[in-house]
Amino acid sequence: GAGVSQSPSNKVTEKGKDVELRCDPISGHTALYWYRQRLGQGLEFLIYFQGNSAPDKSGLPSDRFSAERTGESVSTLTIQRTQQEDSAVYLCASSLALGTVNTEAFFGQGTRLTVV
Amino acid sequence: RKEVEQDPGPFNVPEGATVAFNCTYSNSASQSFFWYRQDCRKEPKLLMSVYSSGNEDGRFTAQLNRASQYISLLIRDSKLSDSATYLCVVTPLGGYQKVTFGTGTKLQVIP
């Protein structure tokens, strides 16, 4: 597709269940980011993938959170044993590699996760 | 110190007013700077890049002050439709370091 695609757009899950969120970046974009945004709050960095380099996981809030990316394509963010405080919009963004002319980051529309 | 800092606001301004936001960054080696706009319950989208010499796009003016390590966004003749959260973005000098987003400044333009 032309833009960053995220699925599902909405997810309601019971506390304690695992969830998997998917991000399909723009073709050719080597950089991929996951952010969390709680209602009325700013973006909270979670994890960053750049090509085949080791990901920057410094923003992951706990070991219940993990993410994978296969090459320069789809990424999945997994939250295990979900808690109510995990309720937020999870945004994915992708961009060309740094050092190229245009490193604008494009965002997907997000996955709204509600843990009940 | 946070890598990128913004006043969260909200800035409540009347229509037609001029409003300015600043954003400070801690990494002096930062290379590129952007302002993004995020509407309520929407994803952030690029508003404008910030060039070293400063740049203007209609009612919007972006400035970079490398000596003091901040960027600014000036909005003239505010419209109701300018109500949004404005995020500043800082990109490091090449390599594999990540782009850093500020947490945003909320602007509410009131009639």
Side-chain angles (χ1 to χ4, degrees):
Chain A
V4 177
S5 177
Q6 290 188 248
S7 60
S9 55
N10 281 284
K11 176 73 176 178
V12 180
T13 190
E14 292 181 353
K15 179 181 173 181
K17 300 274 188 172
D18 297 352
V19 294
E20 190 172 276
L21 313 181
R22 177 187 168 106
C23 173
D24 200 342
I26 293 172
S27 178
H29 280 192
T30 58
L32 187 146
Y33 304 78
W34 282 99
Y35 289 88
R36 178 170 70 178
Q37 189 170 37
R38 294 193 168 104
L39 187 64
Q41 304 295 312
L43 295 179
E44 180 185 355
F45 167 74
L46 296 178
I47 189 168
Y48 163 58
F49 296 91
Q50 172 59 64
N52 294 318
S53 301
D56 177 349
K57 304 180 180 180
S58 59
L60 294 179
S62 76
D63 59 8
R64 296 187 296 106
F65 288 73
S66 63
E68 291 185 351
R69 186 182 188 195
T70 305
E72 296 181 355
S73 61
V74 171
S75 175
T76 55
L77 176 69
T78 301
I79 309 174
Q80 295 178 310
R81 305 182 302 282
T82 52
Q83 304 294 314
Q84 287 185 329
E85 64 261 27
D86 298 336
S87 296
V89 174
Y90 289 82
L91 288 162
C92 174
S94 72
S95 72
L96 291 170
L98 297 177
T100 55
V101 174
N102 186 352
T103 57
E104 176 187 352
F106 294 83
F107 282 83
Q109 293 188 322
T111 293
R112 186 174 302 277
L113 175 66
T114 304
V115 182
V116 297
Chain B
R1 182 182 175 185
K2 286 185 179 178
E3 292 178 76
V4 177
E5 291 199 69
Q6 296 184 250
D7 181 340
F11 285 59
N12 296 312
V13 302
E15 260 187 298
T18 295
V19 61
F21 315 129
N22 281 348
C23 167
T24 58
Y25 60 94
S26 60
N27 186 352
S28 60
S30 298
Q31 178 71 5
S32 302
F33 308 87
F34 306 88
W35 282 102
Y36 275 65
R37 171 188 170 134
Q38 185 177 26
D39 293 297
C40 187
R41 293 181 172 262
K42 297 286 188 182
E43 72 276 21
K45 292 184 179 178
L46 180 67
L47 175 67
M48 60 194 302
S49 302
V50 185
Y51 303 130
S52 297
S53 56
N55 50 301
E56 190 174 306
D57 182 3
R59 297 180 294 108
F60 297 82
T61 300
Q63 297 278 356
L64 167 63
N65 186 319
R66 284 196 182 272
S68 300
Q69 294 182 209
Y70 74 86
I71 62 172
S72 64
L73 177 68
L74 180 80
I75 306 175
R76 289 182 298 278
D77 187 23
S78 300
K79 310 290 184 190
L80 295 176
S81 57
D82 294 334
S83 297
T85 296
Y86 292 84
L87 308 168
C88 76
V89 180
V90 175
T91 302
L93 181 62
Y96 294 99
Q97 300 172 66
K98 66 184 187 296
V99 166
T100 302
F101 280 77
T103 54
T105 297
K106 186 171 183 179
L107 171 66
Q108 185 69 47
V109 181
I110 50 183

